[in-house]
mmCIF file of all heavy atoms in Angstrom:
data_model
loop_
_atom_site.group_PDB
_atom_site.id
_atom_site.type_symbol
_atom_site.label_atom_id
_atom_site.label_comp_id
_atom_site.label_asym_id
_atom_site.label_seq_id
_atom_site.Cartn_x
_atom_site.Cartn_y
_atom_site.Cartn_z
ATOM 1 N N GLN B 85 -21.188 -17.647 5.682
ATOM 2 C CA GLN B 85 -21.459 -18.833 4.874
ATOM 3 C C GLN B 85 -20.372 -18.990 3.804
ATOM 4 O O GLN B 85 -19.911 -20.088 3.536
ATOM 5 C CB GLN B 85 -22.828 -18.674 4.205
ATOM 6 C CG GLN B 85 -23.277 -19.906 3.445
ATOM 7 C CD GLN B 85 -24.672 -19.746 2.869
ATOM 8 O OE1 GLN B 85 -25.329 -18.712 3.050
ATOM 9 N NE2 GLN B 85 -25.148 -20.765 2.189
ATOM 10 N N TYR B 86 -19.979 -17.861 3.234
ATOM 11 C CA TYR B 86 -18.884 -17.868 2.262
ATOM 12 C C TYR B 86 -17.800 -16.892 2.723
ATOM 13 O O TYR B 86 -17.833 -15.715 2.365
ATOM 14 C CB TYR B 86 -19.401 -17.442 0.872
ATOM 15 C CG TYR B 86 -20.551 -18.281 0.381
ATOM 16 C CD1 TYR B 86 -21.841 -17.765 0.339
ATOM 17 C CD2 TYR B 86 -20.342 -19.600 -0.027
ATOM 18 C CE1 TYR B 86 -22.910 -18.541 -0.097
ATOM 19 C CE2 TYR B 86 -21.406 -20.383 -0.460
ATOM 20 C CZ TYR B 86 -22.688 -19.853 -0.494
ATOM 21 O OH TYR B 86 -23.725 -20.627 -0.925
ATOM 22 N N PRO B 87 -16.858 -17.366 3.521
ATOM 23 C CA PRO B 87 -15.816 -16.459 4.046
ATOM 24 C C PRO B 87 -15.036 -15.790 2.917
ATOM 25 O O PRO B 87 -14.797 -16.391 1.871
ATOM 26 C CB PRO B 87 -14.926 -17.388 4.861
ATOM 27 C CG PRO B 87 -15.826 -18.521 5.250
ATOM 28 C CD PRO B 87 -16.726 -18.719 4.071
ATOM 29 N N ILE B 88 -14.665 -14.538 3.152
ATOM 30 C CA ILE B 88 -14.082 -13.695 2.107
ATOM 31 C C ILE B 88 -12.556 -13.790 2.126
ATOM 32 O O ILE B 88 -11.941 -13.814 3.185
ATOM 33 C CB ILE B 88 -14.492 -12.225 2.346
ATOM 34 C CG1 ILE B 88 -16.015 -12.100 2.475
ATOM 35 C CG2 ILE B 88 -13.965 -11.316 1.245
ATOM 36 C CD1 ILE B 88 -16.796 -12.529 1.269
ATOM 37 N N GLU B 89 -11.966 -13.795 0.949
ATOM 38 C CA GLU B 89 -10.502 -13.817 0.857
ATOM 39 C C GLU B 89 -9.945 -12.406 0.844
ATOM 40 O O GLU B 89 -10.475 -11.535 0.170
ATOM 41 C CB GLU B 89 -10.068 -14.534 -0.430
ATOM 42 C CG GLU B 89 -10.511 -15.977 -0.484
ATOM 43 C CD GLU B 89 -9.991 -16.706 -1.714
ATOM 44 O OE1 GLU B 89 -9.217 -16.099 -2.482
ATOM 45 O OE2 GLU B 89 -10.368 -17.878 -1.882
ATOM 46 N N ILE B 90 -8.888 -12.174 1.608
ATOM 47 C CA ILE B 90 -8.202 -10.882 1.549
ATOM 48 C C ILE B 90 -6.718 -11.148 1.265
ATOM 49 O O ILE B 90 -5.940 -11.397 2.174
ATOM 50 C CB ILE B 90 -8.364 -10.083 2.859
ATOM 51 C CG1 ILE B 90 -9.847 -10.029 3.262
ATOM 52 C CG2 ILE B 90 -7.817 -8.671 2.695
ATOM 53 C CD1 ILE B 90 -10.109 -9.318 4.567
ATOM 54 N N PRO B 91 -6.342 -11.095 0.000
ATOM 55 C CA PRO B 91 -4.968 -11.441 -0.381
ATOM 56 C C PRO B 91 -3.935 -10.532 0.294
ATOM 57 O O PRO B 91 -4.168 -9.327 0.423
ATOM 58 C CB PRO B 91 -4.945 -11.239 -1.900
ATOM 59 C CG PRO B 91 -6.380 -11.249 -2.324
ATOM 60 C CD PRO B 91 -7.159 -10.736 -1.162
ATOM 61 N N GLY B 92 -2.844 -11.124 0.703
ATOM 62 C CA GLY B 92 -1.726 -10.329 1.240
ATOM 63 C C GLY B 92 -1.877 -9.927 2.690
ATOM 64 O O GLY B 92 -0.942 -9.395 3.274
ATOM 65 N N VAL B 93 -3.046 -10.147 3.282
ATOM 66 C CA VAL B 93 -3.229 -9.787 4.694
ATOM 67 C C VAL B 93 -3.170 -11.069 5.520
ATOM 68 O O VAL B 93 -4.019 -11.945 5.369
ATOM 69 C CB VAL B 93 -4.588 -9.081 4.916
ATOM 70 C CG1 VAL B 93 -4.778 -8.733 6.382
ATOM 71 C CG2 VAL B 93 -4.680 -7.831 4.051
ATOM 72 N N SER B 94 -2.151 -11.186 6.358
ATOM 73 C CA SER B 94 -1.994 -12.424 7.125
ATOM 74 C C SER B 94 -3.075 -12.524 8.193
ATOM 75 O O SER B 94 -3.576 -11.510 8.686
ATOM 76 C CB SER B 94 -0.614 -12.471 7.783
ATOM 77 O OG SER B 94 -0.552 -11.539 8.839
ATOM 78 N N MET B 95 -3.424 -13.739 8.540
ATOM 79 C CA MET B 95 -4.422 -13.959 9.592
ATOM 80 C C MET B 95 -3.966 -13.285 10.884
ATOM 81 O O MET B 95 -4.764 -12.723 11.624
ATOM 82 C CB MET B 95 -4.611 -15.466 9.840
ATOM 83 C CG MET B 95 -5.633 -16.128 8.946
ATOM 84 S SD MET B 95 -7.248 -15.312 8.935
ATOM 85 C CE MET B 95 -7.779 -15.462 10.637
ATOM 86 N N THR B 96 -2.666 -13.344 11.150
ATOM 87 C CA THR B 96 -2.137 -12.739 12.372
ATOM 88 C C THR B 96 -2.390 -11.231 12.373
ATOM 89 O O THR B 96 -2.913 -10.676 13.339
ATOM 90 C CB THR B 96 -0.614 -13.009 12.484
ATOM 91 O OG1 THR B 96 -0.399 -14.412 12.327
ATOM 92 C CG2 THR B 96 -0.078 -12.541 13.818
#
Side-chain angles (χ1 to χ4, degrees):
Chain B
Q85 186 176 359
Y86 305 108
I88 307 299
E89 298 184 4
I90 310 178
V93 179
S94 71
M95 273 307 298
T96 308

